[in-house]
Amino acid sequence: VFNGTRKSDSLLVTVFKANRSQQNEELIANAVHKAKILKIPGLCHVLDTFDSDPQSTFIITERVIPFPWDDLKALQRNKEGIELGISQILTTLKFLNAFVLGTISKESIFIDTKGQWLLFGLELCYKKTEIDESRFASNVLLYNRLMGLPTTTEDCKKIDSLQLGALLTELLGGSSKVPRDWKSTFQIFCRAGITLESFMSRLESTSTWSSNPLISIFHQLKELHIKDPPGRLLVMAQIQNIFFESRNLFHNLSPGFIEGLLLPELSSVIQWLITSQNNSASSISRLIPLLAIFLDLTIDTDYFPETSKNLVYECFSLQDRQVRFLLLIYLPKISKKLASSEISGKIY
């Protein structure tokens, strides 16, 4: 897996390279074919595929990173964050319910620039109604041998359940860390005793799932682009309440969730409040807590791009003592990211 940049528009991409051989030709051909035809939310979005030479095949996708397994213990400090990621994986698999994947493992999870967990790896992906069970079993053994993975089963009816159950248990930190109201469902599913649809339906009905504010926040942020500014403000007001009730929810999240998803949307709403209603008292009163969250998360993630700098400059130009006081509280830490000329010229 390599990072790259598309020449035509400088779009950041990820390049999956396969070294072809007579042994793996069928697996690679199937992965490329499925990558082209499956446009499923939650799969790495494929932009292009090509063979540059007889020995290599490339699949170009949106920019993603392999799941940071080395940082799993830090991510597990935020159990709601892990549960959010699990909900994203299960939603993707729900879209893929007509297919068998056969490759669900630690190597199949990737994270996009907005912190969403994605699946990829379609070498063994076949439609359930078209699968040749004997050939599939043979390909499973070949795939696992080439990847250096253990084979739990070659049964196309059980493989996804067994692999997914093991993966989710590891993500949660072991069977003892599975939420209490998930345990019985997990045990049945890991024995391939229920379908994925039933597994997900049962989890969604638990209090662990329904009371996880991050799952709600993620779905609302994903739909924010179809809302008008007042609708976006309403979503941000809900996030504001959650933030001030439990700031720990916003720590140890998947890379990209804060920087790529929450902060840009938060910045957009703050910008709208600055320019709307001629900076009325109502707009300012709603802006201040959102700006505090923006500054807090910016410092916490050490993420301060040019767009964030410009927003801070605009806020300093507002004729409101409370806004300026709030900015001055954070300025000692923000100033480390600014040149002295920027501080003197654009702030003071």
Side-chain angles (χ1 to χ4, degrees):
V1 182
F2 303 94
N3 287 333
T5 305
R6 191 162 64 181
K7 287 183 178 180
S8 59
D9 55 5
S10 299
L11 178 72
L12 298 178
V13 299
T14 292
V15 182
F16 292 83
K17 179 188 177 185
N19 296 318
R20 297 211 308 268
S21 68
Q22 193 171 1
Q23 268 191 317
N24 64 26
E25 188 74 38
E26 182 182 342
L27 297 175
I28 293 171
N30 188 56
V32 171
H33 176 65
K34 293 300 192 301
K36 287 178 178 177
I37 65 170
L38 289 178
K39 306 300 179 185
I40 301 292
L43 279 182
C44 289
H45 177 56
V46 175
L47 304 172
D48 200 3
T49 62
F50 62 91
D51 302 323
S52 62
D53 60 67
Q55 285 77 44
S56 303
T57 291
F58 296 88
I59 300 178
I60 317 300
T61 73
E62 61 185 307
R63 172 60 63 86
V64 296
I65 59 169
F67 186 87
W69 288 99
D70 290 344
D71 300 328
L72 180 60
K73 288 196 180 301
L75 295 174
Q76 286 171 341
R77 292 185 199 130
N78 187 340
K79 65 181 184 64
E80 287 87 356
I82 292 288
E83 290 161 11
L84 168 62
I86 288 173
S87 77
Q88 292 166 349
I89 292 298
L90 292 178
T91 300
T92 302
L93 289 170
K94 200 172 182 179
F95 283 116
L96 282 163
N97 64 352
F99 293 84
V100 174
L101 273 181
T103 53
I104 300 172
S105 69
K106 294 171 68 170
E107 287 76 20
S108 64
I109 304 181
F110 295 83
I111 299 178
D112 70 10
T113 55
K114 295 185 177 181
Q116 181 178 354
W117 294 16
L118 308 176
L119 284 173
F120 208 48
L122 304 172
E123 292 87 350
L124 297 172
C125 181
Y126 295 97
K127 202 164 188 177
K128 291 177 181 177
T129 56
E130 300 172 356
I131 201 164
D132 179 326
E133 294 188 18
S134 174
R135 193 173 188 83
F136 178 81
S138 175
N139 282 341
V140 167
L141 293 172
L142 172 61
Y143 176 83
N144 288 338
R145 181 166 58 79
L146 293 172
M147 294 289 288
L149 298 171
T151 299
T152 52
T153 182
E154 303 126 63
D155 187 340
C156 61
K157 296 181 180 68
K158 295 181 179 180
I159 191 167
D160 283 352
S161 296
L162 294 173
Q163 289 181 342
L164 181 62
L167 177 65
L168 299 188
T169 301
E170 183 168 1
L171 283 165
L172 289 164
S175 55
S176 62
K177 298 292 185 180
V178 175
R180 186 174 300 174
D181 54 1
W182 286 13
K183 276 186 181 295
S184 61
T185 303
F186 253 71
Q187 289 168 355
I188 298 169
F189 182 68
C190 288
R191 297 195 302 269
I194 54 175
T195 64
L196 174 67
E197 292 84 355
S198 178
F199 176 63
M200 189 169 178
S201 176
R202 293 189 192 190
L203 293 189
E204 286 176 336
S205 66
T206 63
S207 60
T208 293
W209 187 293
S210 59
S211 64
N212 186 331
L214 290 178
I215 294 177
S216 172
I217 286 172
F218 173 74
H219 286 297
Q220 293 194 68
L221 287 173
K222 278 195 75 177
E223 296 177 356
L224 217 56
H225 67 283
I226 62 174
K227 296 182 183 291
D228 59 9
R232 294 183 180 188
L233 181 59
L234 186 62
V235 171
M236 286 301 165
Q238 294 171 4
I239 292 174
Q240 171 187 317
N241 293 335
I242 293 168
F243 182 86
F244 288 120
E245 283 175 11
S246 184
R247 295 190 182 201
N248 287 340
L249 280 173
F250 296 84
H251 296 150
N252 296 305
L253 287 168
S254 299
F257 184 90
I258 298 295
E259 306 93 317
L261 182 60
L262 182 52
L263 283 177
E265 296 294 357
L266 195 53
S267 175
S268 175
V269 171
I270 293 170
Q271 186 72 54
W272 177 72
L273 286 170
I274 290 173
T275 56
S276 70
Q277 304 174 43
N278 297 316
N279 300 330
S280 67
S282 173
S283 290
I284 294 297
S285 66
R286 287 183 288 184
L287 181 149
I288 289 171
L290 296 180
L291 180 60
I293 296 171
F294 176 83
L295 294 169
D296 204 67
L297 292 176
T298 293
I299 290 167
D300 186 54
T301 57
D302 196 26
Y303 181 71
F304 204 54
E306 204 63 33
T307 51
S308 296
K309 292 182 183 180
N310 291 333
L311 185 65
V312 168
Y313 301 149
E314 282 192 68
C315 288
F316 263 112
S317 70
L318 296 175
Q319 302 300 312
D320 184 89
R321 291 168 64 94
Q322 285 180 290
V323 172
R324 290 184 175 182
F325 181 68
L326 176 65
L327 288 163
L328 288 170
I329 289 174
Y330 284 93
L331 186 59
K333 292 183 178 179
I334 291 174
S335 63
K336 295 174 183 177
K337 301 294 181 182
L338 302 173
S340 56
S341 59
E342 292 175 306
I343 296 173
S344 61
K346 296 187 177 183
I347 294 178
Y348 289 107

